[in-house]
Amino acid sequence: KAADLLGATATVVTRIPDTGYGEVTLVHGGNFLKLSARADGSVREGTPVVVTAVLSSTSVVVMPTTDR
């Protein structure tokens, strides 16, 4: 379920802008997922991130792992 994604690590595949959504990918429960993601500020492609909130089954809030 979506709530299980909290704390999961992912990679930004479409830049997350200051406002709005980008995309992240991750493997969860053996499944490859691509989710819409937003963050506190812009995050560039290739950045490793961690899921800090689950907004819906298809969107999450993330932060770069270096910000933890």
Side-chain angles (χ1 to χ4, degrees), residues 33-54:
L33 302 176
K34 188 175 190 180
L35 302 168
S36 296
R38 63 181 193 154
D40 290 335
S42 178
V43 183
R44 64 183 171 82
E45 296 92 341
T47 303
V49 293
V50 63
V51 176
T52 58
V54 177

Side-chain angles (χ1 to χ4, degrees), residues 56-67:
S56 73
S57 62
T58 59
S59 63
V60 293
V61 177
V62 299
M63 76 161 44
T65 56
T66 55
D67 290 352

